[in-house]
Amino acid sequence: MDLLAKIRTLPTKPGCYLYKNAEGEVIYVGKAKNLRARVRSYFLAASQANAKTGSLMREAVDIDYIQVANEHEALALENNLIKQRKPRFNILLRDDKTYPYIKLTLGDRYPKVFVTRRLKKDGSAYFGPYFPGNLAYRLVDLIHRSFLIPSCKVDLSRYHSRACLQYYIKRCLGPCVEGFTTPEAYREAVRDVQLFLDGKESELEGRLRERMAEAAAAEQYELAARMRDQLITVQQLQEKQRIASTENEDADVFGFHFEKEMLAVNLFHMRSGKIVDKRDFFWEDLPDFSFLTEDPEESDEMEDIEALGPDGVPEAAAEAAIERPAFSPSAFFSALLKQMYLDQPYVPKHIYVPVDFPDRVALASLLSERTGHKIELAAPQRGDKRSLVDLVCQNAKQAYDQRFRTLQPTNKAIAEALQDALSLEEPPRRIECFDISHIQGAETVASMVVWEDGAMKKSDYRKFKVKTVTGVDDFASMREIVHRRYSRLLEEKKELPSLILIDGGLGQLHAAYTALEQLGLTLQPLASIAKREEIVYVYGQEDEPVVLDRRSPVLHLIQKIRDESHRFAITYHRKRREMRDRDSELLAIPGVGPRTRQRLLEHFGSLRGIKQAGPDALSAVVSPATAEKIRNYFQAENEAAVDTALRVIQ
């Protein structure tokens, strides 16, 4: 059945339609109140004059559809299909790590608590989002101190021989070692954390008071004191929340700047009437047709479809379809907001955008239905709200200039962006990066370079000669070096870096963590960057590698640190190899001992200088007989090299 014949069979009900190309790939997903009317409209001359539609119809050879009950279901289905299929003609949200959540791994034997930016259906409980981003980390730290539930990467499915440092500083119940806690006590603590994160302070307060009284009655005064401290923490948070609830409500405010086929979008998060966080989104490789014009309006009138040309485009519109489309902010925000909010468990009561769009009311209604409270989705035209939107647009213009006009962002901005990209607890102040260098396992060395407060700190660079590894084993070498470095820092009681960066992939990353785990440093932030793919792996989130945009200042910083560690390692390796070569080669010459070798190197500076020296120059340092032996040795070496080259050529 050809495309036109298939269109005539479409129902007149709400649903989603999927255009496919000759390879069967979905290239566009759209929604409609009336599927047949919407899809037929793509073939009208007026629609074909639209550059996006013309380009789409030249590639589309088939269409599929999914019928639903109403427009709300069509909106939700369209969002899911776009995220699953990633069609080339739809807008795709490039950054889905916008919101920080707290994750409680309820599916584990001993649940842990983490900060994450990815929501998964893995049996865990997710709480949030939290603004600003460091609020989630502060709450997790509070959970460590008050409820003793860990965030470490230790495997708690089995017992270990000893606990890490977190247990001994009373920030963990110690489920990793048998006998330190009981499953019942741990479950009680997890239940308290759930109530705490759910905001059920009254219920939690009652549980804590009851358990505090029981502990005091049993003369378990240390446990009772801990319950008392938890109770004080909960009461203090309750008081803060009462104060915040008297302020203005939450809102998200959008602004944008578009220029030269590149787009910057800013999102301000307002919580309790205050701007607590800001997000930047960028699109720089927009295809000619991607979301730049609105879809044709739906019509119940069944107009005649014009004769199609050889490319499936009405002949009268074929030339117009080649023109480059203009940017349509309304179509863009319609697509963006669906992808941003439809899958989120939390949506603020107010969302302000700079332009109106056709399905704004339907989207607001669907979000209200899903969240259980009314959502205001508005495009203010005047007053304080419009002024706020204009302010966000000004910030979007500044973000555009920094990103696309190659303005250098501040060190603070880069550090904050790195914190966000790698989900670090705070902006990194010091980064230590390691690399291994060798040739087929010979002269294996390692380097450590340091980035601190926005610049490379060469005075803190370190070189390591690998001592316990023979042959080619980069993983064992990395374990040795990382263990040596941080065992020494612990002995000297020096501050640990904000981030340890490893030059390598997952193997090197896990090797480094093994060394840190042996030292009890299970909470130390650790990441690696793979050389070829330029993908960043954060330990504990290996299944969610960080793929940074090639223009990203964060990627440039990580590459700069990685390249410096590689350069430093290579330089040290070459020096070690030269020392080995000159030691072995000179001592192989009859009549040349350690003292003679030392005199020759001091006089000529290098092995190459000795090889190039004439008989008179050599005789000025050693006896004529020894000089003759040295000349004969290197001459024979050169002749052997020439013979080898000739045999290879033949």
Side-chain angles (χ1 to χ4, degrees):
M1 185 183 298
D2 64 24
L3 190 56
L4 287 177
K6 194 167 187 176
I7 289 171
R8 294 189 181 97
T9 68
L10 296 181
T12 57
K13 301 293 184 180
C16 290
Y17 53 94
L18 302 85
Y19 277 112
K20 298 181 179 181
N21 61 13
E23 287 75 36
E25 299 172 343
V26 175
I27 57 176
Y28 184 74
V29 173
K31 63 153 184 67
K33 295 179 185 177
N34 182 327
L35 282 167
R36 189 188 305 170
R38 167 57 68 86
V39 174
R40 280 176 62 93
S41 68
Y42 281 83
F43 290 86
L44 302 178
S47 298
Q48 291 290 345
N50 174 306
K52 170 190 172 183
T53 308
S55 301
L56 170 64
M57 298 313 297
R58 281 198 301 274
E59 289 196 32
V61 299
D62 193 12
I63 188 169
D64 200 356
Y65 71 92
I66 301 173
Q67 182 179 321
V68 295
N70 52 53
E71 188 179 8
H72 283 189
E73 291 185 11
L75 274 170
L77 179 60
E78 179 193 28
N79 172 62
N80 291 334
L81 290 172
I82 289 173
K83 288 188 173 181
Q84 291 172 8
R85 302 299 185 91
K86 296 181 170 54
R88 192 159 54 89
F89 283 75
N90 290 94
I91 175 180
L92 299 176
L93 181 61
R94 303 301 178 89
D95 185 357
D96 58 352
K97 296 186 178 180
T98 302
Y99 304 110
Y101 288 82
I102 292 178
K103 175 180 179 179
L104 187 61
T105 60
L106 295 178
D108 294 348
R109 176 190 178 193
Y110 289 107
K112 302 176 187 177
V113 61
F114 297 100
V115 175
T116 182
R117 295 177 186 270
R118 295 277 181 93
L119 303 184
K120 293 183 175 181
K121 295 181 180 179
D122 56 1
S124 300
Y126 292 87
F127 306 88
Y130 295 96
F131 305 98
N134 63 3
L135 175 59
Y137 290 99
R138 295 203 305 269
L139 287 175
V140 167
D141 182 68
L142 181 62
I143 290 168
H144 294 334
R145 288 186 282 108
S146 297
F147 301 99
L148 310 188
I149 298 298
S151 291
C152 65
K153 312 300 188 302
V154 175
D155 180 11
L156 298 184
S157 63
R158 60 184 179 87
Y159 288 121
H160 299 260
S161 58
R162 63 187 180 93
C164 69
L165 179 65
Q166 298 302 308
Y167 172 77
Y168 295 104
I169 62 174
K170 300 188 183 304
R171 290 167 60 95
C172 177
L173 287 170
C176 54
V177 178
E178 188 173 9
F180 280 10
T181 187
T182 64
E184 294 76 18
Y186 200 90
R187 280 197 296 270
E188 285 282 351
V190 170
R191 178 59 182 157
D192 290 345
V193 170
Q194 282 185 277
L195 293 173
F196 174 73
L197 293 174
D198 274 329
K200 298 178 180 178
E201 289 87 358
S202 298
E203 183 179 347
L204 176 58
E205 189 175 340
R207 283 169 54 89
L208 291 176
R209 286 187 185 280
E210 181 182 339
R211 284 156 56 197
M212 181 176 66
E214 290 175 357
E219 298 184 356
Q220 296 177 326
Y221 298 118
E222 185 176 346
L223 178 60
R226 198 172 79 212
M227 297 296 110
R228 178 204 60 202
D229 294 341
Q230 291 177 0
L231 189 60
I232 293 171
T233 299
V234 171
Q235 290 171 340
Q236 289 174 342
L237 284 176
Q238 272 187 308
E239 189 61 32
K240 288 182 180 179
Q241 288 174 354
R242 290 192 193 102
I243 295 172
S245 65
T246 64
E247 303 289 339
N248 296 326
E249 294 181 334
D250 299 348
D252 281 357
V253 188
F254 288 86
F256 77 98
H257 182 79
F258 176 79
E259 190 179 333
K260 298 179 180 178
E261 292 83 46
M262 294 182 288
L263 175 67
V265 172
N266 259 204
L267 167 59
F268 277 22
H269 296 294
M270 297 185 67
R271 299 296 180 261
S272 302
K274 298 177 182 178
I275 298 174
V276 297
D277 202 9
K278 177 177 77 76
R279 286 292 182 188
D280 300 324
F281 302 91
F282 301 97
W283 286 264
E284 59 181 281
D285 54 349
L286 304 178
D288 291 350
F289 34 73
S290 179
F291 67 83
L292 299 180
T293 55
E294 298 181 30
D295 283 337
E297 295 183 1
E298 295 182 35
S299 172
D300 292 329
E301 299 179 7
M302 306 301 286
E303 302 182 47
D304 292 333
I305 299 176
E306 292 193 9
L308 300 181
D311 295 325
V313 180
E315 295 173 352
E319 184 175 348
I322 300 174
E323 297 177 5
R324 190 173 188 85
F327 175 59
S328 172
S330 61
F332 169 78
F333 278 101
S334 172
L336 177 67
L337 267 60
K338 294 172 196 170
Q339 294 187 49
M340 181 163 287
Y341 290 112
L342 282 178
D343 293 334
Q344 293 295 331
Y346 173 82
V347 180
K349 291 185 177 180
H350 306 280
I351 303 171
Y352 301 124
V353 293
V355 293
D356 201 359
F357 52 90
D359 49 6
R360 175 178 58 83
V361 176
L363 179 57
S365 175
L366 177 58
L367 291 174
S368 301
E369 180 183 303
R370 290 195 166 194
T371 58
H373 61 262
K374 184 178 180 181
I375 301 294
E376 179 194 12
L377 177 51
Q381 301 301 312
R382 61 185 66 85
D384 293 341
K385 293 177 181 178
R386 184 66 217 185
S387 298
L388 184 58
V389 170
D390 290 340
L391 173 65
V392 182
C393 287
Q394 293 172 19
N395 278 267
K397 173 66 165 59
Q398 294 174 2
Y400 180 97
D401 289 340
Q402 276 200 336
R403 179 63 171 259
F404 300 121
R405 300 191 197 281
T406 64
L407 298 181
Q408 183 63 35
T410 64
N411 290 330
K412 180 181 178 183
I414 295 176
E416 289 175 349
L418 180 59
Q419 174 198 5
D420 185 52
L422 303 188
S423 299
L424 302 178
E425 187 170 347
E426 58 186 5
R429 195 186 71 83
R430 180 184 174 97
I431 300 174
E432 295 184 355
C433 181
F434 294 85
D435 187 26
I436 304 293
S437 181
H438 61 81
I439 293 182
Q440 296 181 344
E443 297 297 334
T444 303
V445 299
S447 69
M448 186 200 78
V449 301
V450 178
W451 176 91
E452 185 173 291
D453 295 331
M456 304 306 299
K457 190 176 182 181
K458 294 191 175 183
S459 61
D460 285 1
Y461 285 16
R462 294 291 182 269
K463 297 179 289 188
F464 301 87
K465 181 181 177 183
V466 176
K467 299 177 180 179
T468 63
V469 180
T470 57
V472 181
D473 194 339
D474 287 358
F475 303 157
S477 300
M478 186 62 72
R479 279 195 299 273
E480 176 192 329
I481 297 308
V482 171
H483 190 279
R484 283 167 55 186
R485 167 63 180 170
Y486 296 108
S487 61
R488 180 166 183 173
L489 285 191
L490 291 176
E491 289 172 5
E492 297 175 354
K493 298 183 179 180
K494 291 185 177 179
E495 186 178 356
L496 294 169
S498 308
L499 173 67
I500 298 173
L501 184 63
I502 304 298
D503 183 5
L506 288 173
Q508 285 89 342
L509 179 71
H510 291 152
Y513 178 75
T514 301
L516 294 173
E517 186 180 24
Q518 291 171 354
L519 297 171
L521 302 176
T522 56
L523 295 180
Q524 170 63 44
L526 175 67
S528 70
I529 177 170
K531 287 185 174 68
R532 293 184 181 178
E533 302 86 355
E534 302 295 72
I535 294 175
V536 181
Y537 294 97
V538 180
Y539 189 84
Q541 306 171 34
E542 294 91 330
D543 57 339
E544 301 172 2
V546 180
V547 182
L548 296 166
D549 188 271
R550 59 185 178 84
R551 290 178 183 251
S552 168
V554 173
L555 178 61
H556 295 167
L557 172 62
I558 293 175
Q559 289 173 327
K560 174 185 176 182
I561 299 171
R562 186 272 314 275
D563 293 345
E564 176 69 356
S565 70
H566 186 63
R567 179 201 66 78
F568 196 50
I570 288 292
T571 301
Y572 182 43
H573 173 71
R574 286 174 178 167
K575 183 177 180 181
R576 294 282 312 172
R577 200 171 71 236
E578 287 175 2
M579 292 173 61
R580 178 202 65 187
D581 291 345
R582 73 190 186 189
D583 283 357
S584 59
E585 197 159 3
L586 286 174
L587 293 176
I589 301 173
V592 177
R595 291 185 179 180
T596 303
R597 179 203 64 192
Q598 186 66 27
R599 290 203 309 273
L600 287 167
L601 290 173
E602 289 176 355
H603 184 83
F604 294 104
S606 66
L607 186 63
R608 178 180 294 180
I610 298 171
K611 289 181 179 181
Q612 294 175 349
D616 295 338
L618 288 170
S619 297
V621 181
V622 297
S623 66
T626 302
E628 183 66 23
K629 291 177 181 178
I630 293 172
R631 291 285 297 167
N632 292 339
Y633 178 86
F634 288 126
Q635 185 175 355
E637 184 183 72
N638 290 336
E639 290 174 355
V642 171
D643 289 342
T644 301
L646 289 174
R647 283 197 299 271
V648 171
I649 294 172
Q650 292 173 355

